Amino acid sequence: MSTYEYDFFVIGAGSGGVRAARTAAALGARTGIAEARFFGGTCVNVGCIPKKLYTYAAHTRHDIADSAAYGWHTQTPPVFEWSLLKQNKDKEIKRLNGIYKNLLSAANVDIHEGHARISGANRVTVGDREITAKHILVAVGGQSFMPPVPGIEHAMDSDDFFELTSQPATVLIVGGGYIATELAGVFSGLGTEVTLAYRGDSLLNGFDEDIRTFFTDAIKSYTHLKLNSDIERIDTLGDQKQVLFADGSKQTFDAVLYATGRVPATANLGLADHDVRLSDVGAIIVDGNFETSMPGVYAVGDVIDRVTLTPVALAEGQALARRLFGGPEQRVSYDLVPAAVFSDPQIATVGMTEAEARSCHQHIEVYRSRFRPLKHTLTGRESFSLMKMLVDKETDRVVGMHMAGDDAAEIMQGMAVAMQVGATKAQFDLTIGIHPTAAEEFVTMRTPVDD
Ligand code: NDP
């Protein structure tokens, strides 16, 4: 019998921490978890879930507009009430918080509410209580990074977005990645005039170039897009924010939102006192078994900054708990992690970009299709979808798939399974399509585009 109070103690009840704790407890480990803020972490409280709910609200605007082409007469102009959406969102998030807590209790995980820090070998302090544990997991996630621009305190981040009780009429969003593009679609769909300022010349860095070009062009239809744009300073002007851009121009907005990346939340955890090594970007360095440089201390999820996506944190947390407490072996593979941006249009991807594919394969065939979805043949909306498939000619294996358009995320989840089992282009060609869908395009792409 171990002399420690717990076999496993988890700091942080977000996606990775909760999954690890529940898995460990189910395998018979005496498990405790500490949470200082909210159960469910970023994803449930200020990330994936509320964001997706807001995207539904934003998309409803398009659905209402499109309905006329399908014979619907709306009697009065629809009115959007921001505070009602927020109230309903808050209610749902509160419900999910409760569910996360209940899942932990039902799994026999002891809950400690409060800030936890490592206080020694096999020791964690929560408030004024010292706890001993054989294994300690740090799964505290990340937090917004805001560059040190003068007046940055007048800007909000994505956490603040979810607390907004009223709708700004105009907003400046700074950044060109996941959060900036998603919130541009949300704000605009809900009726806010959006300006998006990005320091580069094409949005969604890291995605396939065709997708980036397509998206950067598409977003111009509903935002004022300022590319190669930097912000010098932000001042307040009454209730408004006045922004001075590096080109000398000035503009005022009701709100300024920075979405310029997230960093691991490693402060005040006692890591430096105990030689837990951090990378240059402040991420906890772990080995192949998620163990840090301090024996018996592990880390998973955004705090290790490998692939900062909820499903990856879940996989890491589960794999660690299984390994420590005798569950079935699980390897976390960072290859072929599908990802989606819930922007307008939606983006989803799995596998290599064209540039990556060309750098590691001799001969890549590119299949590409751009089309107007059937729905918009009646509405006349200038909305298009782009699908792209990359095939290694030598093996015929599909090495990358990319889509921009309606339902891209739902479609790409299934494609990720096909790629996971190494599907070849010939096998895609053999697959019968479901008609009429956008997804069938992926099994009917017959002719590669010219190099
Ligand atoms: P991203 O890394 O996606 O984007 C950050 C953006 O900010 C980039 O365009 C970057 O430019 C720009 N930037 C960085 N530093 C500065 C600076 N000093 N000044 C001006 N611009 C700057 O981060 P996000 O904050 O959007 O999202 C964080 C992470 O959260 C994502 O990487 C993703 O892992 C996760 N996430 C996932 C979602 C999903 O799965 N749908 C949704 C939201 C978040 P550049 O490109 O030039 O570096």
Side-chain angles (χ1 to χ4, degrees), residues 51 145 147 174-180 182 198-200 205 230 259-262 308-309 340-342:
K51 179 275 309 290
F145 160 75
V174 183
Y178 279 84
I179 297 177
E182 288 182 346
Y198 172 54
R199 64 182 177 182
N205 203 356
D230 286 307
T260 42
R262 293 177 63 82
T308 51
L309 297 174
V341 189
F342 293 94

Side-chain angles (χ1 to χ4, degrees), residues 55-213:
T55 65
Y56 287 130
H59 211 271
T60 303
R61 180 194 185 89
H62 304 317
D63 292 339
I64 294 168
D66 291 343
S67 69
Y70 285 90
W72 290 92
H73 297 282
T74 39
Q75 298 301 314
T76 48
V79 176
F80 171 67
E81 194 181 335
W82 183 282
S83 58
L84 181 58
L85 172 63
K86 180 175 183 302
Q87 269 172 39
N88 289 343
K89 180 271 291 181
D90 287 345
K91 225 189 304 173
E92 174 57 9
I93 300 308
K94 206 166 159 209
R95 188 183 75 84
L96 291 175
N97 287 154
I99 287 178
Y100 265 77
K101 247 177 133 167
N102 290 342
L103 283 173
L104 288 163
S105 306
N108 284 325
V109 176
D110 288 347
I111 295 174
H112 299 260
E113 294 197 40
H115 180 79
R117 62 197 313 276
I118 293 171
S119 46
N122 307 99
R123 282 175 194 281
V124 172
T125 304
V126 186
D128 51 14
R129 170 139 149 56
E130 186 156 87
I131 289 162
T132 59
K134 183 159 189 222
H135 302 288
I136 297 166
L137 171 63
V138 181
V140 293
Q143 63 198 33
S144 303
F145 160 75
M146 309 268 266
V149 171
I152 192 73
E153 65 276 12
H154 305 309
M156 58 179 174
D157 68 3
S158 53
D159 286 12
D160 302 320
F161 167 83
F162 292 112
E163 287 307 313
L164 276 179
T165 49
S166 60
Q167 178 170 16
T170 57
V171 67
L172 170 70
I173 299 178
V174 183
Y178 279 84
I179 297 177
T181 56
E182 288 182 346
L183 293 187
V186 167
F187 265 126
S188 166
L190 299 180
T192 295
E193 187 178 337
V194 178
T195 302
L196 184 72
Y198 172 54
R199 64 182 177 182
D201 53 15
S202 183
L203 300 170
L204 292 176
N205 203 356
F207 284 75
D208 184 87
E209 284 302 325
D210 278 336
I211 295 287
R212 295 182 69 189
T213 307

Side-chain angles (χ1 to χ4, degrees), residues 33 107 123 183 188 195 237 242 256 314 333 360 420 430 450:
I33 194 165
R123 282 175 194 281
L183 293 187
S188 166
T195 302
L237 203 66
Q242 186 179 63
V256 177
L314 295 174
S333 166
C360 48
Q420 194 63 242
L430 264 183
D450 289 337

Side-chain angles (χ1 to χ4, degrees), residues 1-23:
M1 183 76 180
S2 157
T3 54
Y4 301 113
E5 190 176 344
Y6 291 107
D7 299 314
F8 193 45
F9 194 85
V10 180
I11 304 176
S15 305
V18 169
R19 174 63 67 85
R22 289 176 61 206
T23 307

Side-chain angles (χ1 to χ4, degrees), residues 301-319:
D302 287 4
V303 81
I304 64 171
D305 198 33
R306 283 189 177 169
V307 178
T308 51
L309 297 174
T310 290
V312 174
L314 295 174
E316 291 171 343
Q318 180 165 296

Side-chain angles (χ1 to χ4, degrees), residues 117-439:
R117 62 197 313 276
I118 293 171
S119 46
N122 307 99
R123 282 175 194 281
V124 172
T125 304
V126 186
D128 51 14
R129 170 139 149 56
E130 186 156 87
I131 289 162
T132 59
K134 183 159 189 222
H135 302 288
I136 297 166
L137 171 63
V138 181
V140 293
Q143 63 198 33
S144 303
F145 160 75
M146 309 268 266
V149 171
I152 192 73
E153 65 276 12
H154 305 309
M156 58 179 174
D157 68 3
S158 53
D159 286 12
D160 302 320
F161 167 83
F162 292 112
E163 287 307 313
L164 276 179
T165 49
S166 60
Q167 178 170 16
T170 57
V171 67
L172 170 70
I173 299 178
V174 183
Y178 279 84
I179 297 177
T181 56
E182 288 182 346
L183 293 187
V186 167
F187 265 126
S188 166
L190 299 180
T192 295
E193 187 178 337
V194 178
T195 302
L196 184 72
Y198 172 54
R199 64 182 177 182
D201 53 15
S202 183
L203 300 170
L204 292 176
N205 203 356
F207 284 75
D208 184 87
E209 284 302 325
D210 278 336
I211 295 287
R212 295 182 69 189
T213 307
F214 178 89
F215 182 77
T216 303
D217 194 40
I219 202 172
K220 286 179 193 156
S221 68
Y222 62 87
T223 62
H224 306 289
L225 184 59
K226 289 169 86 80
L227 295 174
N228 303 305
S229 172
D230 286 307
I231 281 89
E232 287 278 295
R233 60 177 299 115
I234 305 166
D235 293 297
T236 51
L237 203 66
D239 286 344
Q240 295 212 297
K241 321 287 175 222
Q242 186 179 63
V243 177
L244 171 64
F245 292 91
D247 64 6
S249 62
K250 275 185 186 170
Q251 259 180 282
T252 50
F253 302 91
D254 287 343
V256 177
L257 187 150
Y258 265 70
T260 42
R262 293 177 63 82
V263 288
T266 48
N268 203 17
L269 289 172
L271 302 180
D273 304 341
H274 299 97
D275 295 327
V276 176
R277 282 183 52 222
L278 303 183
S279 72
D280 294 347
V281 294
I284 298 180
I285 297 174
V286 290
D287 64 14
N289 292 323
F290 303 106
E291 191 160 12
T292 69
S293 51
M294 184 176 181
V297 176
Y298 305 82
V300 298
D302 287 4
V303 81
I304 64 171
D305 198 33
R306 283 189 177 169
V307 178
T308 51
L309 297 174
T310 290
V312 174
L314 295 174
E316 291 171 343
Q318 180 165 296
L320 171 69
R322 283 181 171 182
R323 197 184 62 74
L324 292 178
F325 302 109
E329 196 189 336
Q330 180 180 343
R331 195 176 66 84
V332 180
S333 166
Y334 297 96
D335 294 333
L336 299 179
V337 174
V341 189
F342 293 94
S343 46
D344 179 13
Q346 215 174 76
I347 309 291
T349 176
V350 56
M352 294 183 211
T353 64
E354 184 175 337
E356 288 165 348
R358 288 196 187 283
S359 72
C360 48
H361 295 283
Q362 195 77 356
H363 193 154
I364 286 294
E365 278 183 337
V366 178
Y367 295 82
R368 194 167 45 218
S369 172
R370 182 180 183 277
F371 57 95
R372 183 193 285 242
L374 179 62
K375 178 178 179 185
H376 296 304
T377 53
L378 290 202
T379 67
R381 185 183 283 280
E382 286 296 304
S383 174
F384 292 85
S385 295
L386 179 72
M387 286 164 127
K388 182 169 174 182
M389 194 177 209
L390 304 164
V391 178
D392 169 28
K393 197 154 181 229
E394 203 182 322
T395 59
D396 197 40
R397 275 175 73 151
V398 178
V399 296
M401 298 183 74
H402 309 276
M403 176 172 175
D406 292 348
D407 303 319
E410 301 288 348
I411 291 170
M412 206 56 76
Q413 182 67 81
M415 300 302 156
V417 178
M419 284 188 60
Q420 194 63 242
V421 296
T424 60
K425 180 68 169 68
Q427 288 167 322
F428 271 85
D429 294 346
L430 264 183
T431 305
I432 306 286
I434 299 176
H435 187 70
T437 61

